[in-house]
Amino acid sequence: YMGELLLLCCMGHMDQYMPAFVGLAVTRLLRDGDGSQAIKTDVLRQMAINLVIAGLFYNPLVLLTTLQNTHSEGGETLLSRFMALWFSSIDSFKGLHARKLGILALSRLLEVPYAQLPGHAQQGWTHIIPVIVRLCAGLQKAYAYRDEMEAELESDDDDGQGGEDGDE
């Protein structure tokens, strides 16, 4: 979470650190098996995905090049594996933050001239607009989920189960 915040809040000042932050997150995220280095919970998985997406927002070309030049044990680039994981899990994003961050990051990616994109990013170029549309379409569900959670919290407060110290 801290790495994501640093990338988002310190634009232009994290250039030397961004590949290391993102590299650590994506290698753990894509690690197979039950090893001690694998991410095991959905919350940590979402945080790692958000960190990589923040890297895409921070500097799309550096992130794509870094992931394109790093290969997994099976020889596949981390870029292709991450994009496949991200795009296949978009519909499970419940929160507003992950959806909005994804929309902003992919919009920044559209600013990069096609000729400058690494090979796999060029191959996946046709998927960007449909993914942005899916993210936008899911915003309605995310807002409804947020409203439901807020209503539940208000209900708990009304029942006397929430609140701070009871002084009103």
Side-chain angles (χ1 to χ4, degrees):
Y1 187 71
M2 183 61 100
E4 178 187 348
L5 288 174
L6 286 171
L7 291 176
L8 295 175
C9 294
C10 300
M11 296 288 286
H13 300 285
M14 299 296 295
D15 294 350
Q16 65 187 11
Y17 306 109
M18 191 270 284
F21 280 164
V22 171
L24 179 63
V26 80
T27 52
R28 293 254 173 110
L29 183 64
L30 299 175
R31 185 157 289 155
D32 294 327
D34 295 324
S36 63
Q37 301 294 314
I39 295 176
K40 295 179 175 116
T41 68
D42 290 339
V43 172
L44 290 177
R45 184 176 317 282
Q46 185 63 52
M47 290 171 74
I49 289 172
N50 284 352
L51 176 59
V52 179
I53 296 169
L56 183 63
F57 179 75
Y58 179 86
N59 189 330
L61 197 53
V62 169
L63 176 93
L64 294 175
T65 302
T66 300
L67 295 181
Q68 177 71 32
N69 293 334
T70 308
H71 296 273
S72 65
E73 294 173 7
E76 189 177 14
T77 68
L78 293 184
L79 177 59
S80 62
R81 289 193 60 207
F82 173 75
M83 296 305 247
L85 172 68
W86 180 24
F87 292 174
S88 68
S89 63
I90 281 175
D91 294 327
S92 66
F93 292 177
K94 289 184 179 181
L96 291 168
H97 175 74
R99 289 184 176 280
K100 289 179 178 181
L101 182 60
I103 292 165
L104 291 171
L106 290 172
S107 298
R108 289 268 312 214
L109 180 58
L110 291 173
E111 296 173 358
V112 177
Y114 181 79
Q116 291 181 8
L117 294 171
H120 185 75
Q122 287 181 349
Q123 294 170 3
W125 190 254
T126 58
H127 300 289
I128 293 173
I129 299 298
V131 169
I132 292 173
V133 169
R134 282 177 48 209
L135 285 165
C136 288
L139 282 173
Q140 184 176 8
K141 291 179 194 175
Y143 278 112
Y145 179 74
R146 183 197 64 187
D147 293 344
E148 180 182 313
M149 292 294 108
E150 287 176 356
E152 189 174 306
L153 285 173
E154 286 178 17
S155 172
D156 288 347
D157 287 347
D158 293 342
D159 294 340
Q161 297 174 6
E164 290 153 358
D165 56 9
D167 295 338
E168 293 185 61

